[in-house]
Amino acid sequence: MERSGPRLAIVVPCYNEEAALPVTATRLTALLAELVHTGAIASDSALYFVDDGSSDRTWDVIEGLAATDPHCHGIKLSRNHGHQHALLSGVLTARGDAVISIDADLQDDVAAIKEMIDAYAAGAEIVYGVRRERHADSWFKRVTAEGYYRFAHLMGVRLVFNHADYRLLSRRAIDALGAYRESNLFLRGLIPQLGFNTATVLYDRHERIAGKSKYPVAKMVGLALDGITSFSAAPLRLITVLGVLVAFVSFGTAVWALWVGWFNPDAVPGWASTLIPLLFLGGIQLLCTGIIGQYLAKVYLETKARPRFIIEKQL
Ligand code: UDP
Ligand code: MG
């Protein structure tokens, strides 16, 4: 068959997604067939499902898909490596001129895929899927996520507002991404650093089609912290500023305590003026040590240069 559009690969990280996967696969296969039919993409385009060490029947489902449909491929990681690493393993393994990554729960509207391909055809090397609104997310998730984007921006981390990991990468962008060796992965921060010609596509975020979120609050906080500490040393600078401020406040408190002691003979020998600065300083010190510890841990993990993912099997 004559090659028309680019050879597309769609990468889907899956962690315990046995409930959602059959629906997702059906929907994505149909979309792929349609895009091939209209000539938007080449006929050897494919889907890559990455099993991120699931403990349910996810891999069986993927095996079933790969056995019946030559457009479906499976990558099985040796254990749970986490969403970011699963995604990277898929993106670096998949063959194609362009790779789109999308979550297995189809919260991200698949209709945007067509627009991403159009943007790619128009010359974009990276196309960001950006959420139009967040009605489908809980109030908590919406507020924390949007607050986080603002905070990260303040800390000097360049992120695309309301963009998660739904994006298209060209072969050139993937090769550039592969050269980044860090194992503390935060792709949302890393990819804007690649540069290139970029575009954005707006889409609506839906409810999860099946199953439960695989991102409990603890994991979300971990990812959020990685996002800041992997890209910005601003918190370290902040500590210095904080230290100077605290020094001034402590000095002021000391002057005040002396003043009370000298000019107010009735004053109860002040436990407050002793205790408050003590607790305050203790708290600040712990906070600062903690922040420095975060960076130290990063350096520690990076110096090990461990593999970022281990592929057990490929279909
Ligand atoms: N995921 C993964 N490994 C993990 C956690 C999640 O590959 O350790 C996948 C999951 O299967 C889904 C995507 O990452 O395809 C996003 O997870 P989820 O939809 O649960 O996150 P949420 O949308 O709730 O933030
Ligand atoms: Mg989801």
Side-chain angles (χ1 to χ4, degrees), residues 61-194:
V61 176
I62 296 173
E63 272 185 330
L65 290 167
T68 51
D69 187 345
H71 290 293
C72 290
H73 298 283
I75 298 167
K76 182 174 165 47
L77 299 187
S78 62
R79 61 169 168 82
N80 181 238
H81 282 70
H83 175 222
Q84 297 288 296
H85 293 84
L87 211 144
L88 184 75
S89 74
V91 167
L92 294 182
T93 309
R95 285 181 299 273
D97 304 317
V99 176
I100 290 177
S101 49
I102 187 168
D103 288 350
D105 56 7
L106 292 192
Q107 281 192 280
D108 304 326
D109 194 350
V110 294
I113 289 179
K114 173 81 178 66
E115 292 173 51
M116 287 184 180
I117 295 162
D118 291 344
Y120 169 81
E125 304 272 350
I126 302 171
V127 187
Y128 299 106
V130 171
R131 284 170 209 179
R132 197 173 279 133
E133 38 73 39
R134 279 178 169 268
H135 298 322
D137 283 335
S138 69
W139 176 87
F140 177 76
K141 185 139 189 167
R142 199 166 61 230
V143 169
T144 49
E146 290 188 348
Y148 175 69
Y149 282 109
R150 295 214 169 84
F151 179 68
H153 186 76
L154 209 69
M155 292 283 114
V157 185
R158 281 185 56 205
L159 293 178
V160 179
F161 195 70
N162 272 344
H163 158 70
D165 287 300
Y166 185 26
R167 67 174 81 81
L168 177 147
L169 294 172
S170 70
R171 181 48 52 198
R172 227 192 294 171
I174 294 169
D175 289 344
L177 179 66
Y180 283 71
R181 308 303 319 168
E182 59 211 75
S183 46
N184 290 287
L185 265 190
F186 185 66
L187 293 168
R188 267 166 251 187
L190 207 50
I191 288 170
Q193 298 208 338
L194 299 177

Side-chain angles (χ1 to χ4, degrees), residues 13-15 17 52 80 82-83 86 103-105 107 141 205 208 212-215 219:
C14 313
Y15 178 55
E17 298 284 7
D52 186 18
N80 181 238
H83 175 222
D103 288 350
D105 56 7
Q107 281 192 280
K141 185 139 189 167
R205 175 116 164 138
R208 213 172 212 288
K212 280 207 288 283
S213 172
K214 311 301 180 297
Y215 258 103
K219 255 195 207 175

Side-chain angles (χ1 to χ4, degrees):
M1 193 194 217
E2 192 196 333
R3 264 182 88 105
S4 33
R7 181 181 184 187
L8 180 76
I10 299 180
V11 168
V12 190
C14 313
Y15 178 55
N16 292 343
E17 298 284 7
E18 64 176 6
L21 209 46
V23 186
T24 305
T26 312
R27 227 174 296 156
L28 287 177
T29 324
L31 182 78
L32 211 67
E34 186 197 318
L35 290 172
V36 170
H37 184 71
T38 59
I41 57 174
S43 58
D44 51 358
S45 299
L47 302 174
Y48 290 81
F49 297 96
V50 183
D51 176 15
D52 186 18
S54 300
S55 52
D56 67 357
R57 293 189 51 259
T58 297
W59 182 246
D60 295 341
V61 176
I62 296 173
E63 272 185 330
L65 290 167
T68 51
D69 187 345
H71 290 293
C72 290
H73 298 283
I75 298 167
K76 182 174 165 47
L77 299 187
S78 62
R79 61 169 168 82
N80 181 238
H81 282 70
H83 175 222
Q84 297 288 296
H85 293 84
L87 211 144
L88 184 75
S89 74
V91 167
L92 294 182
T93 309
R95 285 181 299 273
D97 304 317
V99 176
I100 290 177
S101 49
I102 187 168
D103 288 350
D105 56 7
L106 292 192
Q107 281 192 280
D108 304 326
D109 194 350
V110 294
I113 289 179
K114 173 81 178 66
E115 292 173 51
M116 287 184 180
I117 295 162
D118 291 344
Y120 169 81
E125 304 272 350
I126 302 171
V127 187
Y128 299 106
V130 171
R131 284 170 209 179
R132 197 173 279 133
E133 38 73 39
R134 279 178 169 268
H135 298 322
D137 283 335
S138 69
W139 176 87
F140 177 76
K141 185 139 189 167
R142 199 166 61 230
V143 169
T144 49
E146 290 188 348
Y148 175 69
Y149 282 109
R150 295 214 169 84
F151 179 68
H153 186 76
L154 209 69
M155 292 283 114
V157 185
R158 281 185 56 205
L159 293 178
V160 179
F161 195 70
N162 272 344
H163 158 70
D165 287 300
Y166 185 26
R167 67 174 81 81
L168 177 147
L169 294 172
S170 70
R171 181 48 52 198
R172 227 192 294 171
I174 294 169
D175 289 344
L177 179 66
Y180 283 71
R181 308 303 319 168
E182 59 211 75
S183 46
N184 290 287
L185 265 190
F186 185 66
L187 293 168
R188 267 166 251 187
L190 207 50
I191 288 170
Q193 298 208 338
L194 299 177
F196 295 121
N197 203 350
T198 66
T200 52
V201 164
L202 291 175
Y203 69 91
D204 293 318
R205 175 116 164 138
H206 306 299
E207 304 278 354
R208 213 172 212 288
I209 50 167
K212 280 207 288 283
S213 172
K214 311 301 180 297
Y215 258 103
V217 175
K219 255 195 207 175
M220 234 163 72
V221 171
L223 185 71
L225 283 180
D226 261 358
I228 305 282
T229 52
S230 294
F231 291 97
S232 161
L236 291 178
R237 270 200 304 280
L238 214 66
I239 287 180
T240 319
V241 175
L242 206 63
V244 173
L245 277 180
V246 169
F248 272 116
V249 172
S250 312
F251 182 72
T253 315
V255 171
W256 173 71
L258 285 177
W259 183 81
V260 171
W262 282 337
F263 298 107
N264 191 352
D266 301 334
V268 178
W271 56 270
S273 55
T274 316
L275 199 66
I276 294 170
L278 204 74
L279 290 179
F280 183 57
L281 279 176
I284 295 283
Q285 278 171 352
L286 279 181
L287 173 72
C288 295
T289 319
I291 296 180
I292 295 172
Q294 287 285 316
Y295 282 91
L296 190 67
K298 285 249 135 104
V299 175
Y300 171 66
L301 290 173
E302 294 294 348
T303 52
K304 286 177 183 293
R306 285 179 172 168
R308 296 180 288 179
F309 50 83
I310 301 168
I311 294 176
E312 183 182 319
K313 251 190 265 181
Q314 247 176 286
L315 296 174

